[in-house]
């Protein structure tokens, strides 16, 4: 339920060690294991980084569908996101 309600999670180093024991493998199976945030990192910058990250999950299929933008972005931002995503795939 928790993984379905939120897009991403942040946790400190001390908390991130406890999460698998407390919540089980649910977050990891959903691909939403918490991102590490340290005390000297800006939470706003970390959230921006997470929102800007595209995650590619390739299993045993030859096709790939990926969200690279949202409706609130400008055409220039969308084009930039698509370019970065393609460059990343080419670098694999």
């Amino acid at each position: 339920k928790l993984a379905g309600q939120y897009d991403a999670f942040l946790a400190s180093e001390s908390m991130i060690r406890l999460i698998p024991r407390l919540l089980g493998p649910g977050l990891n199976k959903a691909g939403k294991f918490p991102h590490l945030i340290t005390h000297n990192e800006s939470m706003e910058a970390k959230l921006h980084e997470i929102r800007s990250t595209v995650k590619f999950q390739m299993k045993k299929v030859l096709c790939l569908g990926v969200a690279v933008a949202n409706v609130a972005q400008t055409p220039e931002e969308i084009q930039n996101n698509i370019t970065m995503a393609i460059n990343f795939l080419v670098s694999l």
Side-chain angles (χ1 to χ4, degrees):
K1 283 184 179 181
L2 192 62
Q5 292 177 348
Y6 300 97
D7 294 326
F9 299 93
L10 297 173
S12 66
E13 189 173 352
S14 58
M15 286 301 296
I16 215 161
R17 290 187 219 135
L18 302 174
I19 289 171
R21 198 172 338 139
L22 296 173
L23 299 177
L27 289 179
N28 207 20
K29 284 181 182 176
K32 294 184 180 181
F33 194 78
H35 297 269
L36 177 66
I37 186 163
T38 59
H39 65 280
N40 57 358
E41 276 184 291
S42 163
M43 192 176 292
E44 190 172 320
K46 189 70 170 182
L47 287 173
H48 180 69
E49 176 188 332
I50 292 169
R51 286 185 186 131
S52 301
T53 300
V54 176
K55 186 175 179 182
F56 296 102
Q57 290 183 312
M58 298 183 75
K59 306 245 181 199
K60 296 177 183 177
V61 294
L62 297 176
C63 59
L64 179 67
V66 176
V68 292
N70 65 48
V71 295
Q73 291 180 305
T74 65
E76 292 81 23
E77 290 173 322
I78 294 171
Q79 182 179 5
N80 189 28
N81 286 357
I82 292 170
T83 303
M84 286 192 304
I86 290 171
N87 288 340
F88 177 78
L89 277 176
V90 170
S91 73
L92 291 179

